Amino acid sequence: TLHTRAGALGHYADHLVPVATPDGIIKVRARGVLLATGVIEQPAVFHNNDRPGVMLASGAQRLLHRFGVAACRRAIMVVANGEGYAAALDLHAAGIEIAAIADMGTPESQIPAARLLAAGIPVHRDHAIHAAHGESAVEAATLAPVDANGHCDLARAHRVPCDGIFMSVGWAPAGQLLYQAGGRLRHDDTLAMPVPEAWPDTVVPAGRLNGVFELDR
């Protein structure tokens, strides 16, 4: 049975999983539960990161592909993983100008250098956004080199005009149901995020919740 527009409210004793639907709450008591709840994209922290126009890269992609809305005309991306680059190329292909990518430390193997060069997207390695500028909305951002301790070198900072800032710097598992089921998570240094370490025999984490980002794995 498929319930659309539904969400699990919790995982309780004896596999009681209340499911909220538009028609009310269904009490499901399952023999086993497969958790494929995914991950939540994390924001970058910088001055004025609450200005309208600052959003997660996944949010900008959702606006574009679900609703046909471009979040801005000229964006700066701040990334720390290969998916940030994929988002930049996706938004560029839709007509959003990517004025610059501030890379906080993505492994070289995850950077599609040839595609970025072909698209004319400038990349600033080991850079971060120090501040967003604009009163009621984003008008520019200050980019600055970052040292090994995470400190911005403001002497070499420069300002880039834009009307949007998109962030893709890491993920956190949507592990609430796994925790409620009695599972535990540990930090994975390779993925730079928590992944499941232990769980009950009748509960199985899968997909991105389990640290798997590729369809063929």
Side-chain angles (χ1 to χ4, degrees):
T1 303
L2 172 64
H3 294 284
T4 60
R5 294 188 296 158
L9 299 178
H11 187 291
Y12 301 101
D14 299 322
H15 287 313
L16 174 62
V17 181
V19 178
T21 75
D23 300 319
I25 295 177
I26 301 172
K27 295 180 180 179
V28 178
R29 198 176 296 277
R31 291 192 178 95
V33 178
L34 175 68
L35 297 178
T37 47
V39 291
I40 302 168
E41 195 163 29
Q42 301 300 289
V45 178
F46 51 84
H47 187 56
N48 290 334
N49 68 348
D50 59 347
R51 289 287 185 271
V54 179
M55 66 178 65
L56 298 173
S58 57
Q61 288 179 292
R62 190 173 295 112
L63 280 174
L64 180 65
H65 295 296
R66 287 193 181 180
F67 305 105
V69 174
C72 69
R73 294 183 177 87
R74 191 171 195 262
I76 292 174
M77 302 279 302
V78 53
V79 308
N81 53 54
E83 296 205 351
Y85 283 98
L89 290 167
D90 182 39
L91 296 167
H92 168 78
I96 296 176
E97 179 187 356
I98 307 299
I101 293 179
D103 188 320
M104 298 177 64
T106 304
E108 192 75 36
S109 61
Q110 296 182 20
I111 301 175
R115 294 181 64 191
L116 295 167
L117 183 64
I121 298 175
V123 177
H124 303 274
R125 295 298 308 274
D126 298 319
H127 274 62
I129 293 179
H130 178 257
H133 305 286
E135 291 299 324
S136 59
V138 171
E139 297 175 0
T142 295
L143 277 58
V146 179
D147 63 22
N149 296 317
H151 298 142
C152 288
D153 182 358
L154 297 182
R156 295 191 290 153
H158 62 284
R159 184 164 169 155
V160 180
C162 65
D163 63 341
I165 296 172
F166 303 148
M167 306 171 287
S168 182
V169 299
W171 305 89
Q176 296 89 337
L177 294 176
L178 183 65
Y179 279 124
Q180 289 186 355
R184 296 195 312 271
L185 280 78
R186 63 173 177 82
H187 190 269
D188 185 290
D189 292 334
T190 302
L191 295 173
M193 62 173 273
V195 295
E197 179 180 50
W199 51 87
D201 292 338
T202 49
V203 175
V204 180
R208 288 188 168 194
L209 172 64
N210 205 27
V212 178
F213 283 72
E214 305 296 333
L215 289 175
D216 58 353
R217 292 179 58 193

